[in-house]
Amino acid sequence: MGNFNSSRTTETMLDVFILIIRLFVGFSMISHGYPKLMMLIANDKIEFMNFLGLGSALTLVLVVFAEFVCSVFIILGFLTRLAAIPLMITMLVAFFVVHGADAYSDKELSLLYFFFYFSILVLGSGKYALDALFAKKEPVY
């Protein structure tokens, strides 16, 4: 770490940081997606918001895909940037639609998640991810 006040970082430090962010945000969002997954696979009538007239069942399927499936992808670092996009959309819908009339303090968590996912979209999955295993190796000249 050398100089604590330095603005430089090493690739390894950045890769570890990205891994920590992926694991934290992935497992945190799964805690929101798992109950919705259980609601989806239960044989009960689905009572969920009807976003853009898609119907409650389809809206719930899309939210489960984002909050559960895409979170698993982010944890594993598999198709990470692609997986961040449905999560970003879901968090914007949560912020502006689901909690639109709420006080900022009640909807701020969805905005924080959005910026975590935006950071993942920009930074990618890092070295400690399945994406890195499947990446095409560039020849060294």
Side-chain angles (χ1 to χ4, degrees), residues 24-112:
F24 172 75
V25 77
F27 282 114
S28 295
M29 185 53 67
I30 281 180
S31 73
H32 294 275
Y34 183 75
K36 293 174 181 112
L37 175 63
M38 293 299 104
M39 184 189 323
L40 183 64
I41 62 176
N43 288 330
D44 300 334
K45 181 182 178 203
I46 294 175
E47 293 184 22
F48 198 72
M49 74 172 285
N50 180 3
F51 182 66
L52 295 177
L54 296 173
S56 297
L58 182 56
T59 302
L60 182 58
V61 167
L62 293 172
V63 171
V64 167
F65 173 75
E67 291 184 1
F68 191 83
V69 176
C70 290
S71 291
V72 170
F73 283 7
I74 285 188
I75 290 167
L76 297 173
F78 179 68
L79 302 173
T80 308
R81 284 188 165 122
L82 194 59
I85 294 169
L87 285 157
M88 290 171 62
I89 294 167
T90 301
M91 292 304 102
L92 289 176
V93 170
F95 184 83
F96 289 108
V97 178
V98 177
H99 298 290
D102 296 346
Y104 179 77
S105 60
D106 295 330
K107 59 184 178 179
E108 124 183 80
L109 184 60
S110 56
L111 196 58
L112 288 171

Side-chain angles (χ1 to χ4, degrees), residues 1-34:
M1 196 183 291
N3 182 357
F4 188 72
N5 292 325
S6 173
S7 62
R8 294 180 178 251
T9 186
T10 66
E11 278 189 51
T12 302
M13 284 175 54
L14 183 59
D15 287 325
V16 169
F17 175 73
I18 293 169
L19 173 64
I20 291 168
I21 294 297
R22 281 190 7 247
L23 293 175
F24 172 75
V25 77
F27 282 114
S28 295
M29 185 53 67
I30 281 180
S31 73
H32 294 275
Y34 183 75

